[in-house]
Amino acid sequence: DIQMTQSPSTLSASVGDRVTITCRASQSISIWLAWYQQKPGKAPKFLIHKASSLESGVPSRFSGSGSGTEFTLTISFLQPDDFATYYCQQYNNYPYTFGQGTKLEIK
Amino acid sequence: EVQLVQSGAEVKKPGESLKISCKGSGYSFSDYWIAWVRQMPGKGLEWMGIIYPGDSDTKYSPSVEGQVTISADKSISTADLQWSSLKASDTAMYYCARQGDSGSYYYYWGQGTLVTVSS
């Protein structure tokens, strides 16, 4: 199985900050990576696919980059609604796997 | 509008069987893979497996293979996740999710089904 490792596990930031979450794959997954946002008690919400393709309707302050084994999700100018847990997911090889999550907290 | 509507919360005892469901609407159910994703209390997302309703091709994560069965009935646009003998460790929220139009990411999600297994 491909292991997905996110860092940090928890991130404290303030409204207006720019933050970056890293996701590393245990082997190359090309660009087949998605990012999701999850708030407590809610289903995950899809944000980005193919590492950097932002879904329609997702604010442009979200961006993704990377290929191979290292990927990043950047949120510029944090808004109150952005405080949530973020997951990466590879869909290059079965079983598709998620990272363990990064909880973005208000500082 | 694409929707995935899951069956309601369940409370079961260890050793009991269970089937939960996910009904798709607003799209051609046969043509898109449906995944099941587990989230144990306070934990992250875990990909369990997927099914292609058009031909019932199914793939499982090794971590759950043999422990659950994923099935689909395209005639009623429903995918199911079932257990023959529940354990306390099966207590979790279970989500179904549909692949996106251009890849195996999960654009649409059900609301989740909470399964509680307790004696």
Side-chain angles (χ1 to χ4, degrees), chain A residues 92-104:
Chain A
N92 186 63
N93 287 97
Y94 294 123
Y96 297 160
T97 42
F98 289 92
Q100 83 279 14
T102 294
K103 185 176 182 180
L104 178 55

Side-chain angles (χ1 to χ4, degrees), chain B residues 23-75:
Chain B
K23 184 171 176 61
S25 62
Y27 72 100
S28 178
F29 186 77
S30 296
D31 295 341
Y32 292 85
W33 291 86
I34 292 279
W36 285 97
V37 176
R38 177 168 67 186
Q39 188 165 39
M40 293 180 176
K43 302 298 184 184
L45 304 173
E46 180 184 5
W47 188 89
M48 299 177 71
I50 52 173
I51 189 163
Y52 188 74
D55 62 6
S56 292
D57 186 16
T58 309
K59 315 227 182 261
Y60 292 93
S61 169
S63 66
V64 303
E65 189 155 23
Q67 309 302 311
V68 298
T69 301
I70 295 172
S71 60
D73 184 341
K74 60 186 178 183
S75 70

Side-chain angles (χ1 to χ4, degrees), chain A residues 17-31:
Chain A
D17 284 353
R18 173 187 172 98
V19 297
T20 296
I21 298 168
T22 298
C23 177
R24 290 188 172 88
S26 60
Q27 64 188 73
S28 177
I29 57 169
S30 184
I31 58 168

